[in-house]
Amino acid sequence: MDRPTIYLDNMAATRLDERVLDAMRPYFFDSYAVATSQFGYSLGIAARDALEAARAAVAERLGASTDEIVFTSGSTESTNMALKGAAAALSQKRGRHLITTAVEDFPVLQSLRALERGGYELTMLPVDAHGSVNPADLANALRDDTALVSVQQANQEIGTLQDLAALADLAHQAGALVHVDATYGWPRVPLKLDALPVDLVSLTTALAHGPRGVGAMYVREGTPLQKWMDGGFQEDNRRGGPEDIAGAVGFAAAMDLVDADETQRLRLLRDTLEARLLGVPHTVLNGHPQRRVPTLSNVSFRFVEGESILLHLDMRGIAVSTGSACFSRSLEASHVILAIGGNHERAHGSVRLSLGRYNQESDVDAVASALSEVVARLREISPLGKEV
Amino acid sequence: MPLPYSETVMEHFRHPHNVGALEDADAKAVEGSPACGDMVAVYLKVDAESKVISDISFESYGCASNIATGSIITDLARGKTLDDAKRLTWKQAAEALGGLPAIKAHCSVLAIDGLRAAIQNYEERHGLVTQRDPTTVELVMSRLKRVMNPMVGLDLVRTNLVTGVRIDDGVVTVVVDLPHDHQFANNIRAEIEEKIEPLWDVSHVIVELQE
């Protein structure tokens, strides 16, 4: 790379924080042994102590107990494990009906689709124009045989936060388990599981400057869960495979570095950026105006197509994401924008900007200027919107 | 990492030629729609005597390959007779652009479609088309040759994905050998509809996916 990049795609991946790497380093080069039981050799006991310290830190932050945290290879695995494991454990005892929302990310949607092909019944809850699930819709969908309700904490594209407390209460009253995909919220958006009655949560710090390839799952004590990743008896016999000590340490270290002050700084930057983007004519906000991830803004520019916007920004050293079909690997327009009632044009013209630790005020300024220029230029070429 | 687009594509994307509406165009056509993610408008000025395209322009709502193809195809068509311009192909445009990614074929084919539709529009308006033939299986197949299978960048007919075409009182049924949950099933279905529905005597298009 021969030019400075302004990176505003922190909901896709983040730059690792050096302090996280420093915390992980000893577990690559010094305490590299497998985590052993207390009767093992010293190197293995040191590894186990580091793993358990990381687990305790994560549990404390979440208001959970240590044996409720399982480390995994990422939140995608956590979600597979939670949904497939709980569905299998409950199919005889409770039933084969599953509920989720139309705006979930692919790990949830595809895991549930796979269960559906295996004979489960799936209900998708609609969302309103802001992307929020109406608790009344969940109440209507719940049945005696509903085993599991999966609702995200924050949306991956538009950042809308769901009312987890209300939804979880309804599900529990009906006797169903609740899974929360917290990939795009926590640790930036706090989760206090001692106050929130949910059963399974998929977690990562990869979007908060932590390492990729490591995730965690919260499993409330007593939650029925069939082991999904077969192997050894690691993680209290809930997930086979030697634990990634460095990964777990890095996960916890990244979590510790996310604090309210930083989040507030980024929120102010986001608000400045968003105000400028919404000043571009024929531009709409996607997502809830208030109940939203504080580091994310998603807007649709009418009459223009996202891949072209993205490419023009890339030529200026700016990285963002779009819900345009051209950009996606499936060639499908964003299912999230369509679910909030947007048409294909709104999906194709949507741009997601997500901030992280390394963004500065000057970035926001540069991106807002570049985007309004690029959009104006593409609108000159576009056959749409000329009569307006 | 290099971009998937050639230098020439990027140059046409950055600085497209022949952009904008022609105020006093003799013919115009729009292909595609915002729903399918790409849309091209082509404007023509034609010398009534020689039938040479004296001026041409385009507008594009779409991705880089769509914009670049609109730019190159209008360059290629300028100064040609309608008959010669009609024979310009996607392959010629792609070659002039130094290649296009296979997965973007459908976005760029649209610009060729726009040019041909604008020429047809001119011919119809100037009485150069004498009769309207009823839609036949052969005509449907020839149109399906412009629907790309994005997996391989070749058209549906060439990749033997079309296993049947039936025409019954304005209803055209196209049978495609793809599973319902194929990654590109929805795209291919939309493109087939887009190519067949505009035929003058077609009222409805049904795309049947085979397991």
Side-chain angles (χ1 to χ4, degrees):
Chain A
M1 288 303 225
D2 52 356
R3 54 166 190 242
T5 295
I6 299 179
Y7 184 75
L8 285 187
D9 200 17
N10 287 279
M11 285 294 246
T14 55
R15 177 190 186 281
L16 190 76
D17 191 308
E18 284 88 349
R19 291 168 291 180
V20 172
L21 185 60
D22 289 343
M24 294 169 74
R25 198 183 301 271
Y27 302 95
F28 292 115
F29 302 110
D30 305 325
S31 300
Y32 45 77
V34 78
T36 60
S37 78
Q38 58 186 322
F39 307 109
Y41 46 79
S42 307
L43 213 55
I45 292 173
R48 186 203 59 169
D49 287 350
L51 176 67
E52 295 313 317
R55 194 188 313 278
V58 173
E60 193 194 334
R61 175 110 172 194
L62 287 165
S65 64
T66 42
D67 51 12
E68 292 176 316
I69 304 299
V70 179
F71 285 111
T72 67
S73 70
S75 62
T76 298
E77 184 195 322
S78 300
T79 294
N80 272 269
M81 180 189 280
L83 297 179
K84 294 172 181 173
L90 290 168
S91 69
Q92 298 300 321
K93 254 188 290 189
R94 168 77 188 172
R96 295 163 78 82
H97 180 230
L98 311 165
I99 299 177
T100 191
T101 81
V103 292
E104 297 297 315
D105 195 18
F106 291 114
V108 168
L109 288 181
Q110 298 298 340
S111 293
L112 293 175
R113 289 285 183 218
L115 286 166
E116 196 181 25
R117 286 195 292 276
Y120 287 79
E121 199 184 330
L122 179 60
T123 299
M124 302 271 265
L125 300 177
V127 293
D128 66 16
H130 292 147
S132 308
V133 174
N134 182 351
D137 287 330
L138 175 60
N140 289 332
L142 284 161
R143 309 192 315 215
D144 288 343
D145 64 340
T146 305
L148 189 68
V149 177
S150 180
V151 183
Q152 60 190 186
Q153 181 194 22
N155 184 266
Q156 63 280 7
E157 287 180 39
I158 59 176
T160 296
L161 301 172
Q162 298 297 346
D163 186 354
L164 295 177
L167 297 169
D169 269 342
L170 283 169
H172 280 160
Q173 279 167 32
L177 287 187
V178 178
H179 166 256
V180 172
D181 178 5
T183 304
Y184 296 92
W186 189 87
R188 189 67 74 194
V189 183
L191 262 184
K192 288 293 174 198
L193 297 172
D194 41 4
L196 182 71
V198 299
D199 306 289
L200 298 152
V201 184
S202 304
L203 302 155
T204 180
T205 58
L207 302 182
H209 311 286
R212 260 172 268 179
V214 58
M217 179 171 63
Y218 162 83
V219 188
R220 184 174 292 275
E221 199 189 336
T223 302
L225 193 67
Q226 188 166 304
K227 190 173 178 183
W228 184 74
M229 181 72 93
D230 286 315
F233 302 94
Q234 293 88 355
E235 296 293 288
D236 211 9
N237 196 23
R238 286 175 295 194
R239 178 190 188 267
E243 290 98 342
D244 175 0
I245 313 295
V249 168
F251 184 105
M255 173 193 79
D256 283 337
L257 291 170
V258 173
D259 65 38
D261 288 345
E262 175 183 75
T263 303
Q264 182 58 18
R265 177 181 79 85
L266 296 176
R267 180 195 298 273
L268 293 175
L269 285 186
R270 190 275 310 266
D271 289 347
T272 306
L273 175 63
E274 189 164 288
R276 287 201 45 193
L277 297 182
L278 292 176
V280 174
H282 307 295
T283 302
V284 291
L285 177 70
N286 296 313
H288 197 288
Q290 288 90 38
R291 291 180 50 82
R292 188 151 46 100
V293 173
T295 52
L296 174 148
S297 188
N298 187 314
V299 294
S300 285
F301 300 100
R302 290 197 62 196
F303 318 131
V304 292
E305 194 278 323
E307 194 217 56
S308 288
I309 297 177
L310 194 125
L311 209 49
H312 270 295
L313 290 181
D314 185 50
M315 294 190 290
R316 295 159 194 238
I318 296 168
V320 301
S321 179
T322 166
S324 164
C326 279
F327 178 66
S328 77
R329 291 187 197 182
S330 66
L331 292 186
E332 296 278 356
S334 154
H335 68 284
V336 175
I337 305 289
L338 300 182
I340 62 173
N343 55 16
H344 280 80
E345 188 201 338
R346 181 160 165 193
H348 295 314
S350 69
V351 175
R352 180 186 72 184
L353 307 109
S354 45
L355 297 146
R357 181 164 297 149
Y358 302 99
N359 289 124
Q360 302 298 331
E361 203 167 342
S362 56
D363 296 345
V364 162
D365 201 49
V367 170
S369 303
L371 252 175
S372 52
E373 255 176 65
V374 164
V375 168
R377 187 144 160 219
L378 289 171
R379 281 180 179 167
E380 275 173 34
I381 302 178
S382 175
L384 297 170
K386 288 292 156 66
E387 65 280 3
V388 180
Chain B
M1 202 196 89
L3 285 163
Y5 295 121
S6 73
E7 262 311 306
T8 317
V9 172
M10 289 306 290
E11 186 48 38
H12 280 272
F13 170 64
R14 266 186 227 116
H15 306 290
H17 307 169
N18 316 313
V19 166
L22 281 185
E23 289 295 320
D24 48 352
D26 295 320
K28 177 196 171 183
V30 179
E31 287 280 316
S33 70
C36 77
D38 282 293
M39 189 170 158
V40 174
V42 176
Y43 300 82
L44 293 180
K45 285 281 289 169
V46 181
D47 181 85
E49 279 300 305
S50 61
K51 302 288 181 287
V52 164
I53 296 174
S54 57
D55 200 359
I56 182 167
S57 71
F58 81 104
E59 292 173 310
S60 159
Y61 163 85
C63 61
S65 62
N66 183 274
I67 292 172
T69 315
S71 176
I72 199 83
I73 200 75
T74 46
D75 274 354
L76 291 173
R78 181 189 299 277
K80 286 203 165 57
T81 63
L82 293 179
D83 280 341
D84 286 345
K86 249 191 280 189
R87 282 194 281 272
L88 284 170
T89 62
W90 176 77
K91 207 161 159 273
Q92 282 170 282
E95 272 165 16
L97 286 170
L100 280 168
I103 199 157
K104 295 292 187 180
H106 92 108
C107 325
S108 46
V109 163
L110 209 56
I112 318 290
D113 289 352
L115 172 65
R116 287 181 189 161
I119 292 173
Q120 194 176 354
N121 174 323
Y122 180 89
E123 289 179 336
E124 279 171 9
R125 279 215 247 166
H126 291 78
L128 301 174
V129 180
T130 43
Q131 63 184 60
R132 295 212 285 186
D133 295 323
T135 295
T136 59
V137 172
E138 287 69 37
L139 180 64
V140 170
M141 288 301 272
S142 78
R143 290 231 165 181
L144 292 177
K145 282 184 189 157
R146 281 152 50 195
V147 178
M148 292 291 160
N149 171 3
M151 306 287 285
V152 290
L154 294 172
D155 67 80
L156 291 188
V157 177
R158 196 129 58 109
T159 50
N160 295 321
L161 286 178
V162 179
T163 53
V165 172
R166 295 191 299 273
I167 301 169
D168 183 21
D169 199 22
V171 178
V172 177
T173 305
V174 179
V175 187
V176 183
D177 186 16
L178 275 181
H180 289 274
D181 56 355
H182 185 273
Q183 185 187 6
F184 297 116
N186 287 339
N187 296 83
I188 289 175
R189 180 197 299 275
E191 264 198 71
I192 291 173
E193 289 167 357
E194 202 183 288
K195 291 287 183 282
I196 306 302
E197 250 162 23
L199 290 169
W200 68 277
D201 57 347
V202 171
S203 59
H204 187 52
V205 178
I206 298 169
V207 179
E208 281 181 14
L209 298 178
Q210 281 180 336
E211 282 305 330

